[in-house]
Protein backbone atom coordinates (compact mmCIF):
# COMPACT_ATOMS: atom_id res chain seq x y z
CA UNK A 1 0.00 0.00 0.00
CA UNK A 2 2.83 2.40 0.85
CA UNK A 3 4.35 1.77 -2.58
CA UNK A 4 1.10 2.82 -4.26
CA UNK A 5 0.97 6.06 -2.27
CA UNK A 6 4.60 6.82 -3.14
CA UNK A 7 3.96 5.92 -6.78
CA UNK A 8 0.91 8.19 -6.93
CA UNK A 9 2.91 11.06 -5.43
CA UNK A 10 5.72 10.50 -7.93
CA UNK A 11 3.33 10.37 -10.88
CA UNK A 12 1.60 13.55 -9.75
CA UNK A 13 4.83 15.45 -9.10
CA UNK A 14 6.74 14.32 -12.18
CA UNK A 15 3.72 14.40 -14.50
CA UNK A 16 2.84 17.96 -13.51
CA UNK A 17 6.50 18.95 -13.54
CA UNK A 18 6.97 17.54 -17.02
CA UNK A 19 3.89 19.39 -18.28
CA UNK A 20 5.27 22.64 -16.91
CA UNK A 21 8.82 22.15 -18.18
CA UNK A 22 7.75 20.86 -21.59
CA UNK A 23 5.49 23.86 -22.08
CA UNK A 24 8.26 26.26 -20.99
CA UNK A 25 11.05 24.78 -23.12
CA UNK A 26 10.65 25.86 -26.76
CA UNK A 27 12.13 22.67 -28.22
CA UNK A 28 9.84 20.50 -26.13
CA UNK A 29 6.66 22.57 -26.52
CA UNK A 30 5.40 20.95 -29.76
CA UNK A 31 5.55 17.53 -28.09
CA UNK A 32 4.50 18.44 -24.55
CA UNK A 33 1.63 15.93 -24.43
CA UNK A 34 3.92 13.11 -25.57
CA UNK A 35 6.51 14.25 -23.00
CA UNK A 36 3.93 13.98 -20.20
CA UNK A 37 2.77 10.56 -21.39
CA UNK A 38 6.36 9.32 -21.65
CA UNK A 39 7.10 10.67 -18.15
CA UNK A 40 4.08 8.93 -16.65
CA UNK A 41 4.76 5.55 -18.29
CA UNK A 42 8.48 5.79 -17.58
CA UNK A 43 7.86 6.60 -13.93
CA UNK A 44 5.47 3.68 -13.55
CA UNK A 45 8.39 1.45 -14.49
CA UNK A 46 11.35 3.27 -12.94
CA UNK A 47 9.65 3.99 -9.62
CA UNK A 48 8.59 0.36 -9.22
CA UNK A 49 12.06 -0.95 -10.12
CA UNK A 50 13.65 1.61 -7.76
CA UNK A 51 11.26 0.76 -4.93
CA UNK A 52 11.84 -3.00 -5.04
CA UNK A 53 15.56 -3.07 -5.88
CA UNK A 54 16.71 -0.41 -3.41
CA UNK A 55 16.74 -2.85 -0.46
CA UNK A 56 18.97 -5.20 -2.50
CA UNK A 57 21.76 -2.63 -2.94
CA UNK A 58 24.57 -3.60 -0.53
CA UNK A 59 25.32 -0.03 0.57
CA UNK A 60 24.20 2.08 3.51
CA UNK A 61 20.85 3.72 2.81
CA UNK A 62 22.43 7.20 2.83
CA UNK A 63 24.63 6.10 -0.09
CA UNK A 64 22.24 3.72 -1.86
CA UNK A 65 19.39 6.20 -2.33
CA UNK A 66 21.43 8.94 -4.07
CA UNK A 67 23.25 6.32 -6.19
CA UNK A 68 19.97 4.75 -7.27
CA UNK A 69 18.44 8.18 -7.93
CA UNK A 70 21.38 9.08 -10.19
CA UNK A 71 20.88 5.83 -12.10
CA UNK A 72 17.20 6.72 -12.55
CA UNK A 73 18.10 10.25 -13.74
CA UNK A 74 20.51 8.79 -16.30
CA UNK A 75 18.05 6.15 -17.54
CA UNK A 76 15.06 8.50 -17.72
CA UNK A 77 17.20 11.17 -19.37
CA UNK A 78 18.23 8.68 -22.06
CA UNK A 79 14.59 7.83 -22.76
CA UNK A 80 13.61 11.50 -22.92
CA UNK A 81 16.53 12.21 -25.26
CA UNK A 82 15.42 9.40 -27.57
CA UNK A 83 11.73 10.28 -27.57
CA UNK A 84 10.90 13.94 -26.91
CA UNK A 85 13.88 16.14 -26.01
CA UNK A 86 14.85 18.86 -28.45
CA UNK A 87 17.77 19.47 -28.21
CA UNK A 88 18.57 15.99 -26.85
CA UNK A 89 21.04 17.20 -24.19
CA UNK A 90 18.20 18.92 -22.34
CA UNK A 91 16.77 15.51 -21.50
CA UNK A 92 19.16 14.90 -18.61
CA UNK A 93 18.58 18.37 -17.15
CA UNK A 94 14.82 17.82 -17.27
CA UNK A 95 15.24 14.36 -15.74
CA UNK A 96 17.45 15.77 -12.99
CA UNK A 97 14.99 18.59 -12.25
CA UNK A 98 11.99 16.25 -12.14
CA UNK A 99 13.66 13.62 -9.97
CA UNK A 100 15.15 16.17 -7.59
CA UNK A 101 11.75 17.85 -7.18
CA UNK A 102 10.08 14.49 -6.65
CA UNK A 103 12.70 13.47 -4.08
CA UNK A 104 12.44 16.74 -2.14
CA UNK A 105 8.63 16.91 -2.15
CA UNK A 106 8.30 13.22 -1.32
CA UNK A 107 10.70 13.62 1.62
CA UNK A 108 8.48 16.45 2.86
CA UNK A 109 5.33 14.34 2.40
CA UNK A 110 6.78 11.34 4.26
CA UNK A 111 7.80 13.34 7.37
Amino acid sequence: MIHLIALAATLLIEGAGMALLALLLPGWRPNWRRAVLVALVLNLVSHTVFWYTLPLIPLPTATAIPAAELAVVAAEGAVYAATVARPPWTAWLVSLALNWTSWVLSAYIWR
Side-chain angles (χ1 to χ4, degrees), residues 24-88:
L24 290 174
L25 295 168
W28 291 60
R29 194 172 303 128
N31 299 314
W32 76 270
R33 286 181 186 88
R34 182 173 2 140
V36 172
L37 180 62
V38 169
L40 292 173
V41 171
L42 188 55
N43 273 281
L44 278 170
V45 174
S46 66
H47 185 275
T48 301
V49 169
F50 177 90
W51 187 269
Y52 290 107
T53 59
L54 186 62
L56 305 175
I57 298 174
L59 295 170
T61 303
T63 304
I65 291 174
E69 285 285 355
L70 285 175
V72 169
V73 166
E76 289 180 0
V79 173
Y80 295 145
T83 58
V84 294
R86 299 299 174 261

Side-chain angles (χ1 to χ4, degrees), residues 3-4 11-12 17 19 25 28 38-39 43 45 47 56 74 77 83 90 93-95 100 110:
H3 172 247
L4 293 178
L11 292 174
L12 178 64
L25 295 168
W28 291 60
V38 169
N43 273 281
V45 174
H47 185 275
L56 305 175
T83 58
T90 61
L93 295 176
V94 167
S95 179
W100 180 83
W110 291 109

